[in-house]
Amino acid sequence: MSSALIGAWGWNGHQDCGYFFAPEGKGSYIFCGGEKPFEYIDNGDSVTVHFTGDLLPNLFRYDIDGDRLSIEDSFGDRVIYTRCEALIKIQLP
């Protein structure tokens, strides 16, 4: 799969909160010690994300400008992520 989304995207400069999109149409949303795996389809200006365990997929509009990903959250608000080398999952006690 070829997609501009492929890679790691960190929120607000953090490497423990953001999206990881793998080339095979799978990924994870990492957030402050948690992780939600998903399958996705890149539609060009939107992405269909089906989180594991959810009944229905979500459709999020997005655009990429250089190393910045602007993507809707589940409330329809735009959130900015920056391309990063990797995301890390922090183990909470």
Side-chain angles (χ1 to χ4, degrees):
M1 165 189 281
S2 176
S3 170
L5 289 169
I6 292 172
W9 301 87
W11 174 74
N12 202 23
H14 300 280
Q15 286 186 292
D16 63 343
C17 186
Y19 283 98
F20 173 71
F21 293 93
E24 69 275 3
K26 295 185 180 194
S28 287
Y29 182 69
I30 309 249
F31 55 96
C32 306
E35 181 175 7
K36 284 188 77 164
F38 58 78
E39 293 185 2
Y40 75 94
I41 299 171
D42 184 355
N43 306 308
D45 62 352
S46 66
V47 60
T48 303
V49 175
H50 193 175
F51 289 102
T52 301
D54 283 2
L55 208 50
L56 299 172
N58 297 281
L59 181 70
F60 302 121
R61 295 194 183 284
Y62 80 87
D63 60 74
I64 296 173
D65 183 16
D67 65 349
R68 294 175 54 119
L69 167 66
S70 173
I71 189 169
E72 290 178 339
D73 64 12
S74 57
F75 301 106
D77 296 323
R78 288 286 182 147
V79 181
I80 305 296
Y81 295 85
T82 304
R83 191 177 294 277
C84 58
E85 292 294 316
L87 291 170
I88 54 172
K89 185 176 175 189
I90 295 174
Q91 300 298 322
L92 296 177

